[in-house]
Amino acid sequence: MRVCGVELKGSEAIICLLNYDDGVFTIPDCRQRLFTLSKSTAADSIREFSFAFEKLMQDYQVDQVVIIERHQNGKFAGSASSFKLEAAIQLTDIPVTLISTSMMKDQNKRNRLQIDFDSLGLKKFQQPAFNAAHAYHNQLFYAES
């Protein structure tokens, strides 16, 4: 199963693909690590983002998208742009799940990485997106056992 972890920050969607097949995690090469919404107030900009995101998911045969949940109000609330990005992603044909940071921590404690994150070949800014995808895989694995 191929999962795309997504972290939404401001007007950016940071992604990381993670594949789990035959008991092995792999990180497929991906042509894009980050999507930026140029104008969050323009409908054309949101349509372009949605098209580009869905095309990437189709090209890499992604089965599930996992988005890190953001607070809707308070000091650490997500921006309006990030919620527009989330809505655009949720309207694609690919199944989307939201995962809380506490759920991510709990799931990733169950199956810790055996190697250092730096050796995975990902950029440091992709770590939260990777953690979301890894936690989703762990959630599926431990739900079955």
Side-chain angles (χ1 to χ4, degrees):
M1 172 181 243
R2 186 165 289 180
V3 174
C4 176
V6 180
E7 179 189 28
L8 300 172
K9 281 183 140 184
S11 60
E12 295 180 334
I14 301 165
I15 67 165
C16 177
L17 300 180
L18 184 62
N19 194 46
Y20 184 74
D21 194 27
D22 293 329
V24 178
F25 284 109
T26 56
I27 300 172
D29 288 330
C30 186
R31 68 176 178 258
Q32 197 159 356
R33 297 177 178 142
L34 167 73
F35 289 92
T36 303
L37 187 63
S38 56
K39 271 187 151 179
S40 66
T41 56
D44 288 341
S45 181
I46 299 199
R47 277 191 206 98
E48 287 173 15
F49 164 78
S50 181
F51 176 79
F53 186 86
E54 189 163 15
K55 178 71 173 139
L56 187 80
M57 297 301 108
Q58 289 170 353
D59 290 351
Y60 287 95
Q61 300 172 343
V62 172
D63 301 307
Q64 180 75 37
V65 175
V66 181
I67 301 173
I68 300 172
E69 232 178 292
R70 290 153 342 282
H71 297 285
Q72 293 185 8
N73 52 28
K75 185 177 179 180
F76 300 107
S79 69
S81 297
S82 72
F83 286 106
K84 287 181 179 185
L85 292 175
E86 179 182 317
I89 292 169
Q90 287 179 330
L91 290 173
T92 62
D93 291 334
I94 300 137
V96 177
T97 300
L98 296 177
I99 190 166
S100 68
T101 52
S102 60
M103 175 66 82
M104 283 173 37
K105 288 177 186 174
D106 289 345
Q107 292 301 324
N108 289 334
K109 279 182 187 177
R110 290 181 152 186
N111 185 11
R112 294 190 188 273
L113 287 177
Q114 302 300 316
I115 58 173
D116 186 37
F117 179 80
D118 296 332
S119 63
L120 294 176
L122 296 171
K123 300 291 184 188
K124 189 72 174 164
F125 67 86
Q126 289 179 285
Q127 188 166 5
F130 170 82
N131 288 339
H134 188 250
Y136 182 80
H137 277 296
N138 287 337
Q139 189 176 15
L140 291 179
F141 179 73
Y142 287 107
E144 293 173 359
S145 51

